[in-house]
Amino acid sequence: MSAQRDLVKDIIRELVRLEAIPIAERSKVDDFSLPRMIDAGNGESLIVSRKLDEGIERVAKRLMDDDPLLKPKFTQAEWRAIVRRAFGPALASIDVDYDLEANALTVLTQVKKTANQDATGKSIREYAFGCTLFGGKDFKPFSIGPVLFEPRDVWLERKYQDSGISTRSQRRIERIWQGGKLRKRKPSFDSIAELDVIDAIGSCKFVCSIAIHDLASEAGREKALMAARFATTAIALMWQTPSKALDGINLLFDREPHRRKALTFVPGKGVLSGSSWSHPPFGPHIKPVEWEGILAEKADIFAVVGEMLAYVISPDGAVARPNMMSTLFHAFLWFHEGCRESSSHMAVVKLAASLDALACGRKSGGILTLINARLKMEDDKPIRPDGPTLKKAIDRIYSDGRSRLIHGNNQELGNDWSDTKALAEQFGRLCLLLCLDWIANTPNCDDPDQLRLSKT
């Protein structure tokens, strides 16, 4: 409390100093040429300085550091904005000629009260992202925990029914999705919302939705995106090469197909050019009945993924198995990034990190123990006919690929690492699937070390 109050005293001292300086000169040494202002309430504003603004940022950081429960609920920028808004009325309420210590306590108490009202407010926000899931049509909606995938026409009807989209906008959006053209509307909140839907869904045939509770807007969106990405990664695990499946399974928010051109100059031949699509416009082809069969067959695995996704978007991490879910969170984060990575070298680093997360950070020895337990493979046995032993394969991935690249002494950096990347991806996929299966069949275990120690 005293540290927080000392920071507020610095702000009040700066406020007192500013009162003796003409407004036109308060921004004299500031990169921001216009006067800085804070809303003081009742239509009034306070003209402040860069130093005072930086003081408010320090208070915001201190308040967040002193209350860890705030960190999952707000981005730092959101929290700074909340605290800054709270400072205006609080500073305007004091008499700067009064006792500094008492003024600091008054301002701090009022700022914390106002900011905490925002922090404790209950809210529900549903985030929706256009998604290129599967090629084909007639798929039924399905959920992986809190993440819902729907054909876009089903999603549009649902949002119309819950009054999220107006009748007029629904008809116009359907028309544009069917290839029609629209007459220009008069500007209004509804017309803006209509254009936002058209832009956000684009040509995607699916919509991915996540309902978020008790998180600020930006923090909620970031966690919703993370949950959506992990859910698509879980879907991609059903294919032999998840990275290839994820080439076509995308959130429009993240990337949109586009033509890529490269120029090559060869002496005597002029310019040679080539082009290709950045990635497929839709995911792998699968029949709806086949996908429903996979959902049924892997229901236990998807249930655990859903449990992990609930942990990802939780405002407080209060789930039944937080330690196990945290391990899966780390593993999915690295595996997703590894599959998305365009550089084979960096993909090996990230995929090795995913394996290391499942092994609870026990490095290559822990990864070997994890594979011994879950894949039933032995260190000194070849991983395939005429192939390297398991130990040599993991050394190649973890020591040669990950560690040497991170530490700057990989002597093979200029070589092609695509084979090692493919090997790391296969080990990562199998370990994730078998760990998810083990967790599903051991519902009372919250000790992630058991993933590599339990032989059953």
Side-chain angles (χ1 to χ4, degrees):
M1 180 69 166
S2 61
Q4 296 174 6
R5 194 156 55 214
D6 287 343
L7 291 173
V8 175
K9 284 193 285 187
D10 289 341
I11 290 171
I12 296 174
R13 289 190 187 100
E14 176 65 5
L15 188 64
V16 172
R17 188 188 71 84
L18 289 173
E19 288 195 344
I21 300 175
I23 291 176
E25 296 183 17
R26 293 181 185 180
S27 301
K28 203 169 183 180
V29 295
D30 195 342
D31 295 335
F32 188 70
S33 58
L34 297 176
R36 295 173 182 256
M37 294 193 299
I38 298 179
D39 182 8
N42 299 320
E44 302 292 329
S45 297
L46 287 176
I47 306 297
V48 301
S49 64
R50 176 178 177 177
K51 182 177 179 180
L52 195 148
D53 249 348
E54 290 173 345
I56 292 175
E57 287 188 11
R58 284 192 288 271
V59 172
K61 183 178 187 305
R62 184 71 193 214
L63 291 174
M64 181 171 273
D65 287 343
D66 290 347
D67 185 358
L69 293 178
L70 294 173
K71 292 183 178 181
K73 296 181 180 181
F74 299 90
T75 64
Q76 294 178 15
E78 282 176 313
W79 180 245
R80 284 196 297 266
I82 287 171
V83 173
R84 193 176 190 273
R85 287 196 300 269
F87 256 101
L91 290 173
S93 70
I94 62 172
D95 180 351
V96 294
D97 294 327
Y98 192 55
D99 178 71
L100 178 61
E101 192 75 32
N103 273 341
L105 180 60
T106 297
V107 170
L108 180 60
T109 301
Q110 190 170 331
V111 166
K112 291 172 77 171
K113 179 181 178 182
T114 303
N116 286 334
Q117 285 174 347
D118 283 326
T120 56
K122 301 295 182 181
S123 64
I124 300 177
R125 292 182 175 88
E126 182 179 310
Y127 298 85
F129 309 101
C131 181
T132 56
L133 196 57
F134 304 129
K137 56 183 181 178
D138 299 327
F139 287 89
K140 296 178 181 178
F142 66 93
S143 296
I144 302 177
V147 180
L148 173 63
F149 293 94
E150 300 166 284
R152 66 184 183 184
D153 56 328
V154 175
W155 171 82
L156 185 64
E157 176 63 24
R158 179 171 67 83
K159 298 317 296 176
Y160 166 70
Q161 291 297 333
D162 65 18
S163 302
I165 293 175
S166 69
T167 302
R168 185 179 184 187
S169 288
Q170 182 195 27
R171 290 199 300 265
R172 286 169 60 86
I173 293 168
E174 286 175 337
R175 189 177 307 140
I176 201 81
W177 283 351
Q178 292 165 1
K181 294 185 177 181
L182 300 178
R183 290 184 179 179
K184 191 173 182 179
R185 291 179 64 177
K186 289 184 179 180
S188 66
F189 286 116
D190 191 53
S191 69
I192 293 171
E194 176 186 300
L195 289 174
D196 285 343
V197 170
I198 292 170
D199 289 343
I201 307 306
S203 61
C204 299
K205 302 300 183 184
F206 293 85
V207 179
C208 177
S209 304
I210 306 97
I212 300 288
H213 296 255
D214 306 331
L215 295 179
S217 177
E218 282 296 309
R221 188 186 70 173
E222 289 306 308
K223 291 198 173 185
L225 279 166
M226 193 175 295
R229 291 165 185 150
F230 291 176
T232 58
T233 302
I235 291 170
L237 285 173
M238 301 301 111
W239 274 262
Q240 189 71 30
T241 308
S243 60
K244 186 175 180 180
L246 283 172
D247 270 347
I249 301 176
N250 293 286
L251 302 179
L252 184 60
F253 184 94
D254 289 335
R255 58 180 188 166
E256 189 172 6
H258 59 275
R259 296 292 294 184
R260 299 183 299 190
K261 270 190 171 289
L263 298 177
T264 304
F265 292 85
V266 179
K269 294 187 178 180
V271 180
L272 303 176
S273 67
S275 68
S276 62
W277 282 103
S278 57
H279 56 276
F282 44 75
H285 283 280
I286 186 172
K287 295 179 180 178
V289 66
E290 292 174 334
W291 177 242
E292 289 171 23
I294 290 174
L295 284 174
E297 180 186 352
K298 305 294 184 182
D300 289 349
I301 285 176
F302 283 120
V304 174
V305 174
E307 190 180 346
M308 182 266 293
L309 298 179
Y311 173 80
V312 169
I313 67 173
S314 169
D316 54 15
V319 297
R321 296 187 280 181
N323 296 320
M324 193 70 81
M325 295 306 114
S326 177
T327 292
L328 287 178
F329 187 164
H330 284 81
F332 264 83
L333 175 63
W334 283 116
F335 190 80
H336 170 268
E337 292 300 313
C339 287
R340 292 291 191 197
E341 180 58 61
S342 59
S343 162
S344 294
H345 307 82
M346 290 305 301
V348 171
V349 171
K350 295 174 179 180
L351 293 165
S354 178
L355 288 166
D356 201 16
L358 290 174
C360 299
R362 303 287 180 169
K363 302 183 180 179
S364 59
I367 295 172
L368 284 170
T369 307
L370 175 76
I371 294 173
N372 299 156
R374 302 277 66 84
L375 275 63
K376 310 302 181 187
M377 298 175 69
E378 298 178 17
D379 295 356
D380 59 350
K381 297 294 178 63
I383 60 173
R384 58 177 178 269
D386 300 322
T389 64
L390 174 62
K391 187 176 186 311
K392 286 185 177 180
I394 297 305
D395 282 345
R396 180 66 174 167
I397 292 168
Y398 191 88
S399 299
D400 297 342
R402 173 199 174 277
S403 298
R404 289 186 181 277
L405 183 61
I406 289 175
H407 297 306
N409 57 2
N410 188 330
Q411 301 302 317
E412 301 179 62
L413 189 57
N415 298 346
D416 181 10
W417 280 73
S418 55
D419 284 351
T420 306
K421 183 259 184 181
L423 185 62
E425 182 177 347
Q426 287 308 304
F427 275 123
R429 171 181 180 263
L430 292 172
C431 284
L432 270 174
L433 286 172
L434 290 169
C435 284
L436 288 167
D437 183 69
W438 187 90
I439 294 168
N441 288 291
T442 318
N444 297 318
C445 180
D446 191 34
D447 179 7
D449 275 324
Q450 293 304 312
L451 293 172
R452 61 187 174 79
L453 297 179
S454 175
K455 302 297 183 181
T456 58

